[in-house]
Amino acid sequence: MSTFDNIYTAVAEASSGFAKPQGLIYGYGTAGFRLKANLLASVVFRVGLLAAVRSKKLNGQTIGVMITASHNPEEDNGVKLVDPQGEMLEGSWEAYATLLANAQTDTELVEALKKVVATTKTDMGIKANVIFAKDTRSSGPSLVAALQAGLTAMSSEYKDYEILTTPQLHYLVRCINTAGTPAEYGAPTELGYYEKLGKAFRTLMDGKTRPSAVFVDCANGVGAPKLRNLRRIVGEDILDVRIINDDIETPSKLNSQCGADFVKTNQKLPPGSHIAPQDRCASLDGDADRVVYYYLDQDSTFHLLDGDKIASLAAMFIQDLVKSAGLEEEIKVGVVQTAYANGASTVYLQKVLGVPVTCTPTGVKHLHHAAQRYDVGVYFEANGHGTVLFSPTSLSIIEAAKPQSPAQHTALQSLRALSDLINQTVGDALSDLLMVEAILAHKGWGPKEWDGAYTDLPNRLVRVVVKDRHAFTTTDAERRLVSPAGIQDRVDALVAKYKGGRAFVRASGTEDAVRVYAEAGTRSEADELACKVAGLLSDY
Ligand code: G16
């Protein structure tokens, strides 16, 4: 009998309470595991096991577990692991998560667990530390119970942070793991999060008058109470936020007819919005890791300011600050996008701002890693998920720089404040909202002036339910289909009929569906192209 047989016995015993449903195959995808909440208990139990192993492997550093299905409807839920610096789980461990989730019996599960421990050469004698939180979904508490059972079986230490936004949990993980080191990120509390953002925002807004109100649709999710907290700590004298869609007591309202995904996909206001032309509006998603802006013009025409517009605004502003600080030779700004980026935004970034642009597959983990290769890496998915990463070297350069003029002093102060304001762990709607508000205040811009940087090519995003989304595999950063055989040629033939046309098809990693994106010269052509490409998929 090995020293750790008691752990494996405890795992086997506890797992019988969280049996894996027969016939289901789980996969750790774009955003962890995500599906109907009633199919997730066994998965979350096993994520508890893996979180403990991951922590042991990393010498007891704290690992995070977030229970959320983000933009999905309330009946779904999901779970994902957060690595010690607050980043997504290391790619090579996703296979271990999938292996554990698919073990059918208690015996198979213990065998799979032993295999993960052996393959990763993990010392089971090290104490594991895990923290976790959930969004406002009604299925959250029962899934937390499954997680706790897994962690208890592994004799892991853990702390329940209850209801948080996803980025807040990422922030806490980093704070805990950097506490007492030169890279200390912040106070490891929810209050510490608000105070860090609040202090940075006030520094950036120094000398600026309070901008007009911003109306924020919180998707009836966790963003509502947390934005209220943030508003209180930042100070209403400098931030006028009007919160709408904040009903977290009615489960069915979560992400329903509101929120970032609704606005981005439908390119219209959430029903019931009472806003005037030129009002700045923003929508978060169900776990507040995405934000998109929008406004109505004088003719009440809707205009979307999505992740591409946010990335362009941030890249322009930061590049200007770097120049004003006299650091343009040392600090290069780059942008990371996905295939969903509007073609006009890429042209603007490359040709007008002169910044390099990288294209990666969908999924924050891909963008995050690509952004780390720049001194300052701005990454945003068009859906509003993104952030700006400052490399350790660029932070040192900014810190050490000695201003030669009042203008340089101000630029350096703003750069330092921005690096504190912008969540360095993951895309964060609350932090991004403050960033946009601060930039607009600096520029003296309303939404129309911001929108004026470039004109989006008309585009359409369509969600198509197919027989088997896994049949759709892609290459070239998801811009071309490899399978089903022959379908890409048919997409190409359709695209060729539209001047300036572009379209691609990819399987969603978070919903049981395939997404079609199309761009063309006019709105009706973009709609038509998306519709025709979607029509091709009905055979699959
Ligand atoms: C997650 C990922 C994002 C991705 C989105 C949609 O977001 O974190 O990177 O863009 O899913 O992915 P898909 O098109 O594959 O469904 P969230 O906000 O739902 O966690």
Side-chain angles (χ1 to χ4, degrees):
M1 192 158 162
S2 92
T3 330
F4 304 112
D5 275 357
N6 52 346
I7 290 186
Y8 294 119
T9 306
V11 167
E13 278 174 16
S15 84
S16 57
F18 302 97
K20 174 184 174 287
Q22 290 286 344
L24 268 184
I25 299 174
Y26 297 105
Y28 195 96
T30 326
F33 295 104
R34 195 173 291 184
L35 62 168
K36 294 277 169 278
N38 61 358
L39 300 173
L40 269 173
S42 67
V43 173
V44 176
F45 172 81
R46 292 141 194 247
V47 165
L49 307 182
L50 189 67
V53 178
R54 180 86 181 135
S55 172
K56 288 172 190 287
K57 172 66 191 169
L58 299 174
N59 285 321
Q61 289 189 83
T62 295
I63 295 296
V65 178
M66 185 70 202
I67 297 179
T68 177
S70 194
H71 73 278
N72 290 46
E74 138 79 23
E75 61 270 23
D76 291 359
N77 214 326
V79 61
K80 59 185 163 195
L81 288 145
V82 180
D83 259 356
Q85 290 303 306
E87 69 278 47
M88 299 289 188
L89 175 69
E90 185 187 300
S92 63
W93 278 62
E94 293 182 4
Y96 304 137
T98 301
L99 180 76
L100 293 182
N102 289 307
Q104 191 61 52
T105 64
D106 302 345
T107 314
E108 280 176 26
L109 177 59
V110 170
E111 285 316 306
L113 184 59
K114 285 181 176 170
K115 192 171 165 191
V116 172
V117 170
T119 314
T120 57
K121 298 191 177 61
T122 297
D123 178 353
M124 289 290 275
I126 292 172
K127 195 80 187 158
N129 292 288
V130 175
I131 66 168
F132 56 86
K134 60 181 180 298
D135 67 18
T136 53
R137 283 180 164 75
S138 54
S139 54
S142 68
L143 294 176
V144 161
L147 180 66
Q148 284 171 318
L151 294 169
T152 303
M154 295 292 287
S155 298
S156 172
E157 298 287 330
Y158 64 77
K159 184 163 180 190
D160 181 359
Y161 279 86
E162 301 180 355
I163 292 177
L164 289 180
T165 71
T166 295
Q168 286 178 327
L169 182 79
H170 285 253
Y171 163 88
L172 288 173
V173 170
R174 180 138 166 184
C175 288
I176 291 169
N177 288 310
T178 56
T181 74
E184 193 161 85
Y185 192 57
T189 59
E190 189 183 335
L191 180 62
Y193 168 90
Y194 300 125
E195 287 180 340
K196 177 167 175 145
L197 266 57
K199 186 168 170 228
F201 186 70
R202 291 195 81 89
T203 303
L204 270 165
M205 295 295 285
D206 192 23
K208 305 275 174 288
T209 48
R210 183 174 83 157
S212 60
V214 55
F215 296 81
V216 185
D217 152 28
C218 291
N220 295 312
V222 61
K226 303 309 182 187
L227 181 55
R228 235 176 257 128
N229 293 344
L230 180 64
R231 179 175 62 187
R232 198 175 56 245
I233 304 291
V234 169
E236 296 193 42
D237 59 315
I238 198 75
L239 182 68
D240 185 0
V241 169
R242 312 281 170 89
I243 296 174
I244 51 177
N245 294 324
D246 61 348
D247 182 358
I248 58 170
E249 304 301 331
T250 312
S252 60
K253 288 191 175 175
L254 179 69
N255 293 322
S256 175
Q257 299 288 302
C258 60
D261 201 53
F262 173 87
V263 172
K264 169 71 182 161
T265 309
N266 296 287
Q267 303 193 21
K268 64 179 189 189
L269 295 178
S273 303
H274 300 291
I275 57 158
Q278 305 303 334
D279 279 343
R280 284 189 321 292
C281 308
S283 282
L284 318 181
D285 68 344
D287 64 341
D289 61 2
R290 301 189 198 176
V291 60
V292 295
Y293 270 73
Y294 43 95
Y295 69 102
L296 299 179
D297 65 18
Q298 294 307 336
D299 305 327
S300 290
T301 303
F302 173 88
H303 295 266
L304 180 66
L305 295 154
D306 62 4
D308 302 334
K309 289 277 182 182
I310 297 174
S312 303
L313 183 74
M316 177 271 300
F317 185 64
I318 294 171
Q319 178 149 284
D320 282 353
L321 283 180
V322 167
K323 276 187 197 147
S324 303
L327 298 174
E328 69 265 43
E329 291 307 319
E330 292 153 274
I331 296 179
K332 301 287 178 207
V333 179
V335 176
V336 185
Q337 304 186 309
T338 72
Y340 288 113
N342 194 280
S345 73
T346 314
V347 170
Y348 170 77
L349 288 163
Q350 292 176 323
K351 301 268 160 56
V352 180
L353 295 188
V355 296
V357 176
T358 308
C359 183
T360 73
T362 300
V364 178
K365 60 185 179 190
H366 301 297
L367 289 102
H368 193 91
H369 288 141
Q372 282 173 325
R373 293 197 272 276
Y374 292 117
D375 300 326
V376 177
V378 179
Y379 77 81
F380 271 89
E381 296 184 285
N383 62 25
H385 204 159
T387 192
V388 181
L389 299 181
F390 290 78
S391 72
T393 310
S394 67
L395 285 176
S396 308
I397 293 170
I398 293 166
E399 201 50 51
K402 298 272 178 288
Q404 307 296 318
S405 67
Q408 280 192 356
H409 172 81
T410 308
L412 285 167
Q413 180 172 287
S414 294
L415 281 170
R416 287 180 196 126
L418 267 182
S419 70
D420 278 334
L421 179 68
I422 303 172
N423 194 325
Q424 296 297 291
T425 66
V426 79
D428 180 341
L430 301 186
S431 154
D432 292 340
L433 183 94
L434 293 186
M435 173 185 79
V436 169
E437 290 300 305
I439 298 176
L440 294 180
H442 272 250
K443 304 294 291 182
W445 283 358
K448 185 164 175 272
E449 289 76 20
W450 171 15
D451 201 16
Y454 64 87
T455 305
D456 269 328
L457 292 170
N459 62 92
R460 175 59 63 195
L461 184 59
V462 184
R463 179 183 184 277
V464 187
V465 176
V466 292
K467 284 182 213 121
D468 177 16
R469 72 178 150 130
H470 300 293
F472 292 80
T473 61
T474 57
T475 184
D476 188 20
E478 299 181 324
R479 288 175 284 204
R480 298 189 65 76
L481 281 166
V482 174
S483 68
I487 193 169
Q488 184 61 50
D489 292 341
R490 297 172 71 192
V491 174
D492 290 343
L494 282 174
V495 170
K497 293 183 184 153
Y498 295 82
K499 190 161 177 281
R502 179 169 80 93
F504 65 88
V505 180
R506 61 172 281 277
S508 163
T510 61
E511 298 172 43
D512 195 7
V514 161
R515 302 197 200 283
V516 173
Y517 176 83
E519 276 175 14
T522 65
R523 179 71 186 254
S524 59
E525 284 176 336
D527 288 349
E528 189 180 283
L529 177 56
C531 184
K532 287 195 171 160
V533 173
L536 294 177
L537 311 179
S538 54
D539 302 342
Y540 302 94

